[in-house]
Amino acid sequence: MKNILSKIKIKDIAEMAGVSVGTVDRVLHNRGDVSMKSREKVEKVLKEINYTPNIYASALASKKTFSFIAVIPAYKKGDYWDKIEEGIIKAARELTDFRVKVEILYFEQYNIASFCKVMETALEERPDGILLPPSLKSVTFEFACKMDAAGIPYIFIDSRIEEAHPLAYYGQHSYLSGCLAGKLMLTEKPQTEEIAIFSFYHLGQVPSNQISQRMAGFVSHMMEKKESCRLHRATLELDSPEKNEQVMYDIFEKNKNIEGAVIFSSRAYVVAEFLKKYKLNHITLIGYDLLERNIASLRNDSIAYLIAQRPEVQGYRGIKALSDHLIFKKQVETINYMPMDILIHKNIDFYLGFANY
Amino acid sequence: MKNILSKIKIKDIAEMAGVSVGTVDRVLHNRGDVSMKSREKVEKVLKEINYTPNIYASALASKKTFSFIAVIPAYKKGDYWDKIEEGIIKAARELTDFRVKVEILYFEQYNIASFCKVMETALEERPDGILLPPSLKSVTFEFACKMDAAGIPYIFIDSRIEEAHPLAYYGQHSYLSGCLAGKLMLTEKPQTEEIAIFSFYHLGQVPSNQISQRMAGFVSHMMEKKESCRLHRATLELDSPEKNEQVMYDIFEKNKNIEGAVIFSSRAYVVAEFLKKYKLNHITLIGYDLLERNIASLRNDSIAYLIAQRPEVQGYRGIKALSDHLIFKKQVETINYMPMDILIHKNIDFYLGFANY
DNA sequence: CACAAATCCGTGCGCGCACACAAAGATAAG
DNA sequence: CTTATCTTTGTGTGCGCGCACGGATTTGTG
């Protein structure tokens, strides 16, 4: 009864194989200096039993230290990246007893020069692993190659670059999340013939793959299921509330038949707050991500659906993937699409009240 | 730079306080035999620094062993309880190095005598913690009292009994998940005036709180939002496919205007497969839980929505709550409602492809 | 055949902690 | 002041493992 609890340990293996623990250790970590005969004896035993080392004892005894670097955009509180960082920090805490240090470096979002600079410093530190969201494809790919060359495993979060070879990717399937938005729109407004699509854009900014792919998915779904539907596109700007208000006013004024609106960035609240202000509550708005202002708008019904992608889990699992690979020698799955969580007024509270880790 | 990695240890505290490690240990675990003077010295240091013990070293050194018992219904593969057990086993694996043994005992679902018998044996084993889904209220409450008296912490999963005092509860808010079903139904079929509600029932069975509360939530939502809507209730039986088919045939034949159907148990596939067979694809069906046959029906569009509640997470967190409480001395949240995940054809694959732990 | 070099292997220490045990100090009783 | 008793404190051992060092065995060389 009791010995269910005590796992097989190296000492047991040594006895079974008729060698010393040192030899078993050398075989397990195959660091040489073992004769064929002993190696075979040990390997035979290993094949028979199912040895799983006590990773805690192992970490305790190990003198190796690890340093990971997470490179993410500087963010404001309540932002999408805030959640990502939350997950990174949670993972970091759990790993301190394994001698892992996680450093977070920030770059200016949409600014490619800033991204490059931060990545350079990250590489200079020669960390054991790096976590980053891809930026401009060509540039990111260059860094990916450098990391490959330096033998530094790296994790992509948020979005993905096909050409690179990260240890793992954690993020949404952007295109299909766009289709999902389309599907939700048609469920909510099966009859509608006109829909508004808003994008944020700023001159000189790096466009987001993520967002353009969502849009592509949405458009393709609409084309397929309701070809007759007209899509009105409009562009908003960061930090230009008056201008944005004008843009929205124009589009909704000119096209009274619009019954639905979508916004593929995480700033749906900009549109939501406009709809609220002008009491356009016949318009179904669909957005992405659980920013605080988005949630508020979901609660007051100016947003109908939010599609979420568990950013905190992306950060958490990203870091964990590095430690699984480097420390615990576990196989890690390469492509990890996040669930596309559908949040509405009715279920948001339970979602928020729950830690997704 | 490097010493960020090395945390404060007991030895450090001992030096700072000018006592030996033994004394610090005695203060930390307050097991007496410490003079006021030394205690104060140590506590002063503890207040200044933020000591977090290395739980792995601690577990390694500790001679304590723990035994948990999980009491769950016997299930068939692919069932809801299969997922729960999956989570329990995952947690158990992670805890073996902490000298935790988890034993799973099965009772016959809906059979109160069987439940009692299994609970008796569980109690006789005097485990350190018990995890169980409440059965009949009065009976479960009695066992709860016994466990309280014996000082055995217990976890409720799946559903909840207000009167008892479990260490924690993990499960859905049944009533509100019923409301959610109502909301989804009205989104999908805003015009419908007739809806069918199916229940499973068997003579002598213990009725499920879970299910009746979901129904209550659904009905109340419909009453509030669309009073005119007529709800047709019908009862199905386990293992009576022909009889069930007759019941369904009758209800849909007699009420040609029915455009929606709901089923609050996890066996939506029974209705779904009927709808598929008779090509009643104008009927929107809403069900619960990701049984394999439900998923198949979601994929072939005979189920429109499935509401899921992360059963594997319930099992996992339930066991983890016991170890958090008993071993790691962490505070555990008492009421933990699971997110109400909304699954449709478009997002099911990503949900299934992802481990929710 | 002696001795050096190379290969192989066992032992011992320490990671941070829990816990037992013995030592030392304080107090009481004679 | 001595001895017995109780209180308080320090030290030592081992949990399972990684790792280094030194010893044992084999092989090679003159």
Side-chain angles (χ1 to χ4, degrees):
Chain A
M1 262 302 177
K2 272 282 153 61
N3 44 359
I4 296 176
L5 288 183
S6 58
K7 297 205 310 185
I8 288 177
K9 37 197 166 168
I10 288 186
K11 204 177 143 197
D12 300 325
I13 300 176
E15 276 168 21
M16 286 191 255
V19 296
S20 76
V21 289
T23 306
V24 176
D25 177 68
R26 257 160 260 149
V27 174
L28 282 173
H29 301 81
N30 57 292
R31 41 182 153 90
D33 287 350
V34 181
S35 67
M36 274 300 261
K37 217 168 54 183
S38 322
R39 153 161 277 120
E40 274 165 12
K41 280 195 286 183
V42 173
E43 277 171 352
K44 185 158 165 285
V45 176
L46 285 178
K47 217 162 286 168
E48 282 167 17
I49 58 142
N50 184 12
Y51 174 67
T52 55
N54 184 326
I55 51 174
Y56 307 124
S58 163
L60 198 60
S62 171
K63 290 184 165 11
K64 275 198 210 103
T65 64
F66 297 87
S67 79
F68 300 157
I69 294 187
V71 174
I72 58 172
Y75 60 85
K76 300 198 189 79
K77 191 164 168 347
D79 191 355
Y80 173 75
W81 293 100
D82 189 5
K83 297 272 181 191
I84 299 237
E85 173 162 328
E86 183 192 309
I88 292 172
I89 289 173
K90 182 175 161 74
R93 285 232 180 78
E94 290 181 13
L95 291 173
T96 50
D97 286 333
F98 292 96
R99 298 186 152 73
V100 173
K101 186 190 68 176
V102 179
E103 193 180 347
I104 303 180
L105 300 180
Y106 304 93
F107 66 93
E108 202 181 312
Q109 196 170 11
Y110 309 120
N111 178 335
I112 192 69
S114 163
F115 174 78
C116 289
K117 208 173 128 214
V118 173
M119 279 303 292
E120 297 285 4
T121 53
L123 279 169
E124 271 166 29
E125 284 195 31
R126 312 206 134 278
D128 298 291
I130 297 182
L131 175 141
L132 73 158
S135 180
L136 195 64
K137 203 178 200 170
S138 57
V139 173
T140 311
F141 181 64
E142 245 178 77
F143 281 110
C145 292
K146 280 187 196 170
M147 292 185 281
D148 284 333
I152 301 175
Y154 52 98
I155 307 288
F156 282 155
I157 53 168
D158 189 55
S159 74
R160 202 158 93 76
I161 286 188
E162 298 268 356
E163 293 77 11
H165 301 97
L167 176 62
Y169 162 69
Y170 294 85
Q172 206 168 47
H173 192 304
S174 316
Y175 183 87
L176 286 172
S177 82
C179 295
L180 175 61
K183 155 76 184 169
L184 294 175
M185 181 59 83
L186 286 178
T187 318
E188 195 77 19
K189 288 283 156 68
Q191 336 281 356
T192 190
E193 293 295 334
E194 310 205 16
I195 287 171
I197 296 179
F198 294 95
S199 317
F200 273 90
Y201 186 66
H202 227 37
L203 215 79
Q205 271 183 10
V206 181
S208 154
N209 287 317
Q210 175 86 295
I211 289 173
S212 56
Q213 288 201 32
R214 283 177 186 166
M215 177 141 17
F218 181 84
V219 171
S220 119
H221 184 86
M222 296 304 287
M223 298 276 272
E224 190 189 321
K225 300 290 180 181
K226 196 164 175 62
E227 214 184 339
S228 63
C229 188
R230 252 189 81 197
L231 305 177
H232 301 269
R233 297 168 200 232
T235 302
L236 305 177
E237 285 181 27
L238 292 168
D239 311 316
S240 308
E242 305 83 12
K243 206 165 158 188
N244 290 342
E245 183 152 342
Q246 190 60 48
V247 170
M248 292 188 268
Y249 192 86
D250 285 352
I251 194 170
F252 289 121
E253 188 62 28
K254 276 186 200 148
N255 309 280
K256 296 276 193 185
N257 289 329
I258 289 179
E259 287 183 48
V262 202
I263 177 157
F264 298 103
S265 80
S266 62
R267 292 196 191 73
Y269 61 84
V270 172
V271 180
E273 287 162 11
F274 175 89
L275 295 178
K276 186 82 186 166
K277 183 172 172 189
Y278 290 93
K279 299 199 167 51
L280 299 174
N281 44 24
H282 66 287
I283 293 178
T284 292
L285 176 61
I286 296 178
Y288 286 78
D289 300 329
L290 301 184
L291 310 202
E292 279 161 19
R293 285 168 83 178
N294 282 348
I295 294 167
S297 295
L298 191 72
R299 287 211 172 105
N300 71 32
D301 296 315
S302 47
I303 291 180
Y305 292 94
L306 283 172
I307 298 173
Q309 51 178 323
R310 309 197 191 178
E312 71 282 16
V313 178
Q314 292 181 38
Y316 180 78
R317 298 254 178 122
I319 296 294
K320 283 302 196 88
L322 287 173
S323 63
D324 280 348
H325 177 67
L326 293 168
I327 306 178
F328 307 121
K329 312 293 179 195
K330 280 197 230 165
Q331 191 69 30
V332 317
E333 194 67 38
T334 308
I335 305 292
N336 301 274
Y337 289 120
M338 295 288 135
M340 303 187 296
D341 293 323
I342 301 173
L343 281 318
I344 62 180
H345 191 159
K346 281 272 181 212
N347 70 342
I348 184 70
D349 288 331
F350 296 101
Y351 190 82
L352 294 175
F354 192 79
N356 275 319
Y357 297 105
Chain B
M1 262 302 175
K2 271 282 151 64
N3 43 359
I4 296 175
L5 287 183
S6 58
K7 297 203 311 184
I8 288 178
K9 37 197 167 169
I10 288 186
K11 204 175 144 197
D12 300 326
I13 300 176
E15 277 168 19
M16 286 190 254
V19 295
S20 74
V21 289
T23 303
V24 176
D25 177 69
R26 258 160 259 149
V27 173
L28 283 173
H29 300 82
N30 56 291
R31 39 182 153 91
D33 288 350
V34 182
S35 67
M36 275 300 264
K37 217 168 55 185
S38 320
R39 153 161 277 119
E40 273 164 13
K41 279 195 285 185
V42 173
E43 277 172 351
K44 184 159 167 284
V45 175
L46 285 178
K47 217 161 287 170
E48 281 167 16
I49 59 143
N50 184 12
Y51 173 67
T52 55
N54 184 326
I55 52 173
Y56 308 124
S58 165
L60 198 61
S62 172
K63 289 184 169 9
K64 276 200 209 100
T65 63
F66 298 87
S67 79
F68 299 158
I69 295 187
V71 174
I72 58 172
Y75 59 86
K76 300 197 189 78
K77 194 167 167 342
D79 190 356
Y80 173 75
W81 292 99
D82 191 4
K83 298 273 182 189
I84 299 238
E85 174 162 329
E86 183 192 310
I88 292 172
I89 289 172
K90 181 174 161 76
R93 285 231 180 78
E94 290 180 15
L95 291 173
T96 51
D97 286 333
F98 293 97
R99 298 187 152 72
V100 174
K101 186 191 68 175
V102 179
E103 192 180 348
I104 303 181
L105 300 180
Y106 305 92
F107 65 95
E108 202 181 312
Q109 196 170 13
Y110 308 121
N111 178 335
I112 191 70
S114 163
F115 174 77
C116 288
K117 209 174 126 213
V118 173
M119 279 302 292
E120 297 284 2
T121 55
L123 279 168
E124 270 166 29
E125 284 196 33
R126 312 207 134 277
D128 298 292
I130 297 182
L131 175 142
L132 74 158
S135 180
L136 195 63
K137 202 179 203 171
S138 57
V139 173
T140 311
F141 181 63
E142 245 178 79
F143 281 111
C145 292
K146 281 186 194 171
M147 291 185 283
D148 284 333
I152 301 174
Y154 52 98
I155 307 287
F156 281 154
I157 52 168
D158 190 54
S159 74
R160 200 158 92 77
I161 287 189
E162 299 268 358
E163 293 77 11
H165 301 95
L167 176 62
Y169 162 68
Y170 295 85
Q172 207 169 46
H173 192 304
S174 316
Y175 182 87
L176 287 171
S177 81
C179 295
L180 175 60
K183 154 77 183 170
L184 295 175
M185 181 60 81
L186 286 178
T187 320
E188 196 77 17
K189 289 282 156 69
Q191 337 281 354
T192 189
E193 293 296 334
E194 309 205 18
I195 287 171
I197 297 179
F198 294 95
S199 318
F200 272 90
Y201 185 66
H202 227 37
L203 215 78
Q205 271 182 8
V206 181
S208 153
N209 287 318
Q210 175 88 297
I211 289 173
S212 56
Q213 289 202 32
R214 282 177 186 166
M215 176 144 15
F218 182 84
V219 172
S220 118
H221 185 86
M222 297 304 287
M223 298 276 272
E224 189 188 322
K225 301 289 179 185
K226 196 165 172 64
E227 214 183 337
S228 63
C229 188
R230 252 189 82 199
L231 305 176
H232 300 268
R233 299 170 199 228
T235 302
L236 305 176
E237 284 181 27
L238 293 168
D239 311 316
S240 307
E242 307 82 13
K243 206 166 157 186
N244 290 343
E245 182 153 342
Q246 190 59 47
V247 170
M248 291 188 269
Y249 192 86
D250 285 352
I251 195 170
F252 290 120
E253 188 61 28
K254 278 187 199 147
N255 309 281
K256 296 276 192 186
N257 290 329
I258 290 178
E259 287 183 47
V262 201
I263 177 158
F264 298 103
S265 81
S266 62
R267 293 196 188 73
Y269 62 84
V270 172
V271 180
E273 287 162 10
F274 175 90
L275 296 178
K276 187 80 184 166
K277 183 172 170 189
Y278 290 93
K279 300 200 167 49
L280 299 174
N281 44 25
H282 65 287
I283 294 178
T284 293
L285 176 60
I286 296 179
Y288 286 79
D289 300 329
L290 301 184
L291 309 202
E292 279 161 20
R293 286 169 81 179
N294 283 348
I295 294 167
S297 295
L298 190 72
R299 287 210 170 105
N300 72 29
D301 295 316
S302 47
I303 290 181
Y305 292 93
L306 283 172
I307 298 173
Q309 50 178 322
R310 309 198 190 175
E312 71 283 14
V313 178
Q314 292 181 38
Y316 180 78
R317 299 256 177 121
I319 296 295
K320 283 302 196 87
L322 287 174
S323 63
D324 280 349
H325 176 67
L326 292 168
I327 306 177
F328 307 121
K329 311 292 177 197
K330 280 196 228 163
Q331 191 68 30
V332 317
E333 195 67 39
T334 308
I335 306 291
N336 302 274
Y337 289 119
M338 308 309 281
M340 302 188 297
D341 293 324
I342 302 172
L343 282 317
I344 62 180
H345 192 160
K346 281 271 181 212
N347 69 342
I348 185 69
D349 287 332
F350 295 102
Y351 190 82
L352 294 176
F354 191 80
N356 274 318
Y357 296 105

